[in-house]
Amino acid sequence: MNRKWFRQLFRRRILVIFLLVAQAAFLIHLLVRGGRLSQTLNAILTILSFLTALHIVSKRDKAAYKTAWVFLILLFPLFGGLLYLMFHFQGPTRSLAKRVRTVEAENAAQFALPGTGYDAAKESVGELFPQVRYLQNTAGFPVYDHTSVRYVSPGERLLEALLPALEQAEHYIFLEFFIVQEGCMWDSILSILKEKASQGVKVRLIYDDIGCFLLLPQNYPQQLRELGIECVRFNPFRPFLTAKQNNRDHRKIISIDGKVAYTGGINLADEYINAIEKHGHWKDAGILVEGKAAWSFTIMFLEMWQICTGQQEDLRIYYPWSEQPCTVSAEGFVQPYADSPLDTENVGEHVYLQILNQARDYVYINTPYLIVDDSMVSALTLAAKRGVDVRIITPHRWDKWAIHMTTRSYYRDLVRAGVRVYEYEKGFMHAKTFVCDDRIATVGTTNLDFRSLYLHFECGALLFGTPAIRDIKGDFLTTLQTCRPILEESCRSNFLVHLFQDLLRLFAPLM
C-alpha cells in the first residue's frame, strides 16, 4: 500500500466519521441547551416516540425487530422515535427500493431463456417439489437441468479452479463481491482480467462500498476503468443517517460467458485462501456451476449492474445458448436464487426453513453466525425433537466479539432441544451451507443472522439430487473431526454473563 493511497483512504474515513458525529452533536445540543425551544422540542419528540412505537407494533414485521425498536424507544424516549423515522422514511431508501423493483420486473422473463427443468423436477424430486415451486413461481427463480456442480472448499481450492476458467473466457467476465482487497488472490485474478480486457472481453466488477470501506481507495473504479475494466461501487456510503446504508450487497458472483458461474462465501481477499492468517484457518465453501443454471447468476449480476448504473441493456445479448443448445449433461437439478431486502419475500430464510421442515433423517449446517428469530429457532428445535439429526458448526475463533457472544447465547435453547452444536477449533468457519438427507443442499452467501436474512442482498443455489450433495456432506463430516462439541453444561453461565447475552439478543436485529 503506497503512502498516497493510504492518506486518501484515511482522509475519507475521518471525514465521514466527523460528519456523522457532527450531526448527532447538533441534535443533542438542541435538546439539552435549555429554554422554551428545548422544552417544546422535547415534548414533540416524546409524542413522536409514542406514536412511532404504536406504528411499529401494528406493522407486519418480524417480532424481534419490533421488540428491539420498541425497547430502544422506551429506553431513549426523546431520540428513539426520531432515530426510527430517520432510518425508515427517507427518500434515498424508497428510491433504491423502487429502482430495484423496476429492474427486477423488467427482467423477470429473462431467467427462463434456457428453458427450465420444472416438469422434469416435478417427476423426480417428490416431496421436495414445493420448494421448487415456491422459488420458481413465487420468487421468480427457475430450476434447471443440464447443469453440473462442483463443490469447492476451502478457498484456495476455489482459486485453483477459478483461474483456468477465467483464462478461457471468450465474451465476458462479470464479478460481484462484498469484499475485494489487494493481495495474492485479487492480484492473480486481476492480472487475468486485464489481459482479457485487452483482448476485447467485456469485464465488469461490482463491489460493496461498505465491505471495501477500509480496503480500497475511493477512486478505485476509475483506476480499473483505465485498465479496460468497467467497475462500480454498490450503494456508495455517504455520511448521513439512513436505512439505505444498511442494505449492502453481500453477494459473491462470478459469471464467465454465462456458461460457468460461482457463488458461495469466499470473497476476493487473502484470508479467504489462507494466504494470510486472520482468525486462524479460514474454512469457507463455494460452488462452481456449469451449464444452464449459470445463466441465472448472469441475470442477477446484470440486474445489479442496472441498479448501480441506471443503464438499460437488452440482457438477451449476453445469452450464451442462442446459436447452439447447452450440451452439459449432469444428474439432478440446480435452482439459483437471490434475496433482496427491499421486497416482501425473505427468500434465503424460506429456503432454510423449508429444508428444516422437510428433513427426515439429518440436516448439517455451516454458519459463521447464529443469531436468529423465533421462527428459525422453532424450526431447528422442532426438527431435532422429531428425531432429525440436526448439527451446526460455528466458529470457535470469532471475528466480532459481540456477535460471537450473541451466537453463543442461542446454544442453550438449541442443545437442550437436541440440536448438536459444534465450534470449529482450527479457526474461523465462514461457509454458509445446508445439506439434508442426501437429497437437497444449498450453498450461498446467506448467514444465519438478521443482517443476511433481512437486510442484505444475498444469493445461493439449491441443489436437488446432484453428486455435489455427497461432497458437501462429506466435507461437513470431515470438518467435525476438528470441532469441539458444545455440551449442555458448557452453556451454563453466571448471572451477569447471562444478562449481558440476553441484552445482546434483544438488540441483535439492529446490529
Side-chain angles (χ1 to χ4, degrees):
M1 182 187 300
N2 62 61
R3 293 181 179 179
K4 181 179 179 182
W5 186 96
F6 180 78
R7 286 197 300 269
Q8 292 175 345
L9 186 68
F10 184 75
R11 283 199 298 267
R12 181 191 177 206
R13 276 46 179 178
I14 291 297
L15 177 62
V16 167
I17 293 171
F18 172 77
L19 291 174
L20 288 172
V21 171
Q23 292 176 72
F26 177 72
L27 181 60
I28 293 172
H29 172 71
L30 287 178
L31 293 174
V32 302
R33 70 177 185 174
R36 182 174 298 176
L37 176 61
S38 178
Q39 293 174 5
T40 303
L41 191 57
N42 285 351
I44 292 173
L45 290 178
T46 301
I47 295 171
L48 182 64
S49 290
F50 175 75
L51 295 175
T52 301
L54 289 178
H55 167 75
I56 293 170
V57 171
S58 66
K59 281 186 65 178
R60 183 180 175 271
D61 209 341
K62 289 289 181 181
Y65 272 110
K66 294 182 182 181
T67 302
W69 273 111
V70 170
F71 186 86
L72 187 66
I73 290 172
L74 291 174
L75 195 61
F76 302 105
L78 294 180
F79 293 100
L82 182 63
L83 185 65
Y84 179 87
L85 295 177
M86 291 177 69
F87 264 73
H88 289 83
F89 295 96
Q90 293 197 10
T93 306
R94 294 196 299 271
S95 175
L96 176 62
K98 182 179 179 181
R99 192 158 69 247
V100 169
R101 288 194 299 268
T102 300
V103 168
E104 290 179 345
E106 289 176 347
N107 299 310
Q110 308 301 323
F111 282 93
L113 276 179
T116 77
Y118 189 82
D119 292 335
K122 187 174 184 179
E123 298 295 326
S124 299
V125 303
E127 63 186 23
L128 298 176
F129 185 71
Q131 178 86 301
V132 174
R133 185 168 53 215
Y134 162 74
L135 281 178
Q136 179 156 326
N137 294 345
T138 300
F141 300 107
V143 64
Y144 302 96
D145 49 15
H146 295 281
T147 303
S148 66
V149 181
R150 179 180 175 186
Y151 174 74
V152 283
S153 178
E156 47 268 38
R157 292 185 180 175
L158 171 69
L159 186 61
E160 292 173 1
L162 185 59
L163 295 180
L166 291 171
E167 290 174 343
Q168 294 173 14
E170 297 178 347
H171 304 292
Y172 58 82
I173 301 173
F174 298 151
L175 306 96
E176 179 180 345
F177 282 86
F178 182 62
I179 291 175
V180 177
Q181 184 176 13
E182 293 177 328
C184 296
M185 185 180 192
W186 175 235
D187 290 348
S188 62
I189 293 173
L190 182 59
S191 65
I192 296 175
L193 300 182
K194 289 190 291 186
E195 180 183 358
K196 286 297 177 179
S198 69
Q199 296 171 1
V201 173
K202 184 183 289 292
V203 181
R204 289 177 173 176
L205 169 66
I206 302 171
Y207 67 84
D208 186 85
D209 196 41
I210 289 292
C212 300
F213 191 65
L214 296 174
L215 305 178
L216 296 175
Q218 189 174 11
N219 69 337
Y220 198 66
Q222 178 59 33
Q223 293 182 27
L224 291 185
R225 283 193 285 270
E226 292 172 358
L227 300 174
I229 299 171
E230 300 177 63
C231 179
V232 294
R233 293 177 293 154
F234 174 80
N235 198 1
F237 182 75
R238 294 179 175 85
F240 301 101
L241 295 174
T242 168
K244 181 183 177 185
Q245 303 301 341
N246 266 328
N247 302 138
R248 308 316 313 177
D249 184 1
H250 194 245
R251 307 193 310 193
K252 294 92 179 167
I253 294 174
I254 297 177
S255 173
I256 303 171
D257 293 338
K259 297 180 179 181
V260 177
Y262 154 78
T263 193
I266 304 164
N267 279 296
L268 304 182
D270 283 355
E271 63 267 27
Y272 292 86
I273 59 170
N274 290 295
I276 61 172
E277 183 175 315
K278 194 170 184 179
H279 306 292
H281 182 266
W282 195 284
K283 176 63 176 174
D284 220 320
I287 54 171
L288 287 165
V289 301
E290 181 177 1
K292 284 186 176 181
W295 175 242
S296 260
F297 289 109
T298 308
I299 296 292
M300 292 176 200
F301 173 90
L302 289 169
E303 286 185 339
M304 189 62 77
W305 186 264
Q306 289 184 347
I307 291 166
C308 292
T309 64
Q311 299 173 3
Q312 297 298 313
E313 290 183 297
D314 182 359
L315 305 192
R316 290 173 295 183
I317 64 175
Y318 299 103
Y319 179 58
W321 312 111
S322 56
E323 296 182 0
Q324 58 180 7
C326 176
T327 58
V328 174
S329 178
E331 182 182 350
F333 301 88
V334 181
Q335 194 164 18
Y337 59 88
D339 197 358
S340 166
L342 302 176
D343 59 22
T344 58
E345 288 296 323
N346 298 321
V347 177
E349 179 189 38
H350 293 162
V351 167
Y352 290 164
L353 287 175
Q354 289 185 69
I355 291 175
L356 289 166
N357 292 335
Q358 294 171 339
R360 298 181 302 193
D361 300 317
Y362 75 86
V363 180
Y364 298 157
I365 301 167
N366 286 317
T367 180
Y369 315 116
L370 185 58
I371 305 173
V372 290
D373 72 349
D374 290 341
S375 60
M376 188 65 70
V377 172
S378 295
L380 289 165
T381 56
L382 181 58
K385 289 176 180 178
R386 68 173 191 266
V388 176
D389 180 13
V390 182
R391 305 189 197 187
I392 306 173
I393 298 178
T394 66
H396 181 65
R397 297 182 62 174
W398 41 267
D399 63 337
K400 302 175 184 71
W401 178 80
I403 301 298
H404 189 61
M405 285 288 289
T406 312
T407 289
R408 286 186 165 181
S409 74
Y410 286 86
Y411 291 173
R412 298 188 298 268
D413 297 335
L414 296 174
V415 172
R416 287 171 187 163
V419 177
R420 302 164 72 180
V421 180
Y422 302 81
E423 288 188 344
Y424 180 62
E425 288 195 298
K426 288 179 62 178
F428 189 64
M429 168 59 71
H430 192 256
K432 310 97 169 45
T433 66
F434 275 55
V435 60
C436 173
D437 295 345
D438 296 347
R439 302 182 300 159
I440 185 172
T442 183
V443 179
T445 68
T446 308
N447 299 317
L448 278 175
D449 70 349
F450 286 92
R451 285 203 158 273
S452 265
L453 292 171
Y454 312 122
L455 295 178
H456 289 168
F457 290 86
E458 305 281 1
C459 67
L462 200 57
L463 314 179
F464 300 90
T466 68
I469 293 173
R470 293 192 295 271
D471 298 330
I472 298 169
K473 178 185 179 182
D475 184 53
F476 182 94
L477 294 175
T478 300
T479 305
L480 275 184
Q481 299 173 17
T482 54
C483 296
R484 69 181 186 96
I486 303 299
L487 306 177
E488 187 170 351
E489 51 267 27
S490 64
C491 297
R492 299 191 182 102
S493 57
N494 63 50
F495 172 77
L496 290 178
V497 172
H498 199 300
L499 177 62
F500 181 65
Q501 288 182 324
D502 286 345
L503 287 172
L504 287 174
R505 285 180 65 163
L506 176 62
F507 288 108
L510 307 181
M511 289 182 177

